[in-house]
Amino acid sequence: MLITFRSKASPDVMMYKEHARRILDLLGKDVDRGVITAAEAPNAVTTIEREIAESRQHQATSDVEQDVRAHGDDDKEHESIETVSFSTRAYPLLEMLRQARDHKADVMWGVL
């Protein structure tokens, strides 16, 4: 299921609900629908940036874990697993929030 984030400050951002959940949980927001007000945007940006920095520190551990899952049993053929980092997934919404912060606009979302 997709979520569309809307703001007067930037183009819409669409994201899978399962990927948006981690970001919205960090911000204490409901995944189904809600608003990040212009007043909340600066704190939201800081929170997401902090989580990106934290996730980058633990990237090597995630890569090793992924490699073990992909190659743990040599008798079976494995598809290569490509992960998308938290920072990559969060970037479009983070940019929207930065624009909302700078233009004093709200960010709203609902499930399509």
Side-chain angles (χ1 to χ4, degrees), residues 27-91:
L27 303 176
K29 298 292 183 175
D30 185 280
V31 73
D32 290 323
R33 63 180 44 99
V35 63
I36 298 169
T37 65
E40 294 172 316
N43 187 46
V45 168
T46 301
T47 300
I48 294 170
E49 288 174 340
R50 190 176 320 123
E51 184 67 15
I52 287 171
E54 178 71 20
S55 70
R56 285 183 176 157
Q57 290 178 352
H58 300 290
Q59 186 64 40
T61 303
S62 298
D63 289 345
V64 169
E65 191 176 299
Q66 172 187 330
D67 192 49
V68 168
R69 283 194 316 265
H71 300 99
D73 185 356
D74 292 335
D75 294 335
K76 296 181 180 179
E77 292 183 32
H78 295 281
E79 294 182 27
S80 62
I81 299 173
E82 294 183 29
T83 59
V84 178
S85 68
F86 175 75
S87 61
T88 301
R89 290 199 195 281
Y91 183 78

Side-chain angles (χ1 to χ4, degrees), residues 4-24:
T4 302
F5 294 93
R6 293 187 168 86
S7 177
K8 292 180 181 180
S10 70
D12 292 353
V13 171
M14 293 180 73
M15 187 179 287
Y16 284 109
K17 185 177 183 178
E18 64 193 62
H19 300 150
R21 182 180 312 277
R22 179 173 176 194
I23 299 167
L24 294 173

